[in-house]
Structure formats: C-alpha cells, structure tokens
Amino acid sequence: MAGRVVGRVTAVFLTLAAVPVIAAESPAEQISAFRLKHGEVRVVRDATLDGIALQQARAMAAKDNLSHEVLGSFASRIAPARAGHAAENIAYGYESFDKTLRQWIDSSGHRKNLLLHNASRVGIASAKDASGKRTYWAMVIAGDYEPKPGKGKIRRDKEPLVAVKRDTGPSTRTKSTDCHIKVLSLCI
C-alpha cells in the first residue's frame, strides 16, 4: 500500500514538474502582442513615459478625479518625452493591468491609442486613492522620435493626436475636461 501511495505521489509530482511555468507578460508585452495582431510594431517601456504616466496616475488618485487635465494639458506633460506624437489612456476601477487593458481594447478611442501608428515606446503606471479602494491607471504611448527625411522639424506645439477619457455614462457634461474623445483640442 505504501509503495502505491509513493508511486502515485511521484507520478503526480512528475506530471506537475512537466507543466511549464508560464510567466505573466509585462504590460508592454501585452500591448505589443495586441499591436502585432493588428499590424503595428512592438513598443518598449520608456522611463520618461513611465514617469509621465506615474505623475498622472498619482495626481488622479490624490484628487480622486479621472481627468486628462488633472496636471495640465497633455501637450505640456508629454513635452519632456520629445516624441513626434503621443496619446494617453486613463482608467480607474480595476486592480490588474490585464483587466484595464481589456477595457481599453473594448473602447474604440482607447483602442485607437493602443494602435497609434509608428509608436515605439510606452509608459504605464497605477496609483491608489487615499482610501486604497480605487486604482487609477495611466498609459502614455508615443512615437516618431526622429524627424522623417524631407519633412523638417517635428512640431511640438500641437495637442496629442487622440486623448481618451473613460466614458462614465450619461452624466451631465458641462466642462471641457469631460469629453469622451479629444482630437486636436476638440471634444467629440
């Protein structure tokens, strides 16, 4: 009887040992996988963009306010990255990046940002509000770091291509910061 138990335990152990351990993909790898499926190139984490995203996530958490403008305009916040174009996704509610990414993929404006053409770098951060119950997320994606031949200098005085705020439903929208999709400073 003891021999059978040892044999079964050994068999179970060997079976479990044969199962490969799958490491969870990093947020940049998850975004890259999504981009590759849709014909865009990989993105890599960027320390400057991580810092911009972290400042945004912390400010939203501190003020308990989901807003692209909580720290000022996106154009001024993204300037240190020296990117030709950039976009930002923000969200709150989910503790895991996996669920937040799924939420962004399922939203057309956020999805457009994830698939920003020629993007090569990304920054991602989260922060909890004072109660510790709400997690705020910020993702900044950027590209076109080098001017294209014959195109001259990169213009940095424009707003981002698209900046998307999570739609919180049919609330009264009275402020310009409450737009669902922002394209070149226009709320649509």
Side-chain angles (χ1 to χ4, degrees), residues 15-147:
T15 302
L16 291 175
V19 176
V21 177
I22 299 172
E25 289 184 321
S26 73
E29 290 168 335
Q30 291 177 47
I31 292 168
S32 289
F34 175 72
R35 289 175 56 80
L36 289 169
K37 285 181 190 174
H38 294 88
E40 293 295 338
V41 298
R42 288 184 184 285
V43 290
V44 296
R45 286 297 280 267
D46 179 84
T48 300
L49 297 180
D50 276 343
I52 293 167
L54 182 58
Q55 288 176 347
Q56 177 69 10
R58 284 180 176 167
M60 290 187 303
K63 295 179 181 184
D64 202 14
N65 181 13
L66 183 70
S67 169
H68 289 282
E69 286 81 22
V70 75
L71 284 176
S73 76
F74 180 68
S76 65
R77 290 186 295 109
I78 195 66
R82 304 180 60 78
H85 66 281
E88 175 180 68
N89 284 353
I90 58 175
Y92 73 84
Y94 292 119
E95 289 201 25
S96 77
F97 181 75
D98 296 352
K99 289 181 180 178
T100 301
L101 179 59
R102 176 52 44 202
Q103 179 183 24
W104 287 336
I105 288 170
D106 291 343
S107 162
S108 63
H110 292 96
R111 180 185 182 97
K112 185 175 181 178
N113 286 351
L114 289 167
L115 296 173
L116 187 66
H117 186 63
N118 288 338
S120 58
R121 301 177 193 173
V122 68
I124 303 139
S126 66
K128 293 219 181 249
D129 69 353
S131 72
K133 294 180 181 177
R134 183 176 282 176
T135 303
Y136 284 86
W137 289 92
M139 179 212 69
V140 180
I141 189 166
D144 283 345
Y145 285 88
E146 300 293 330

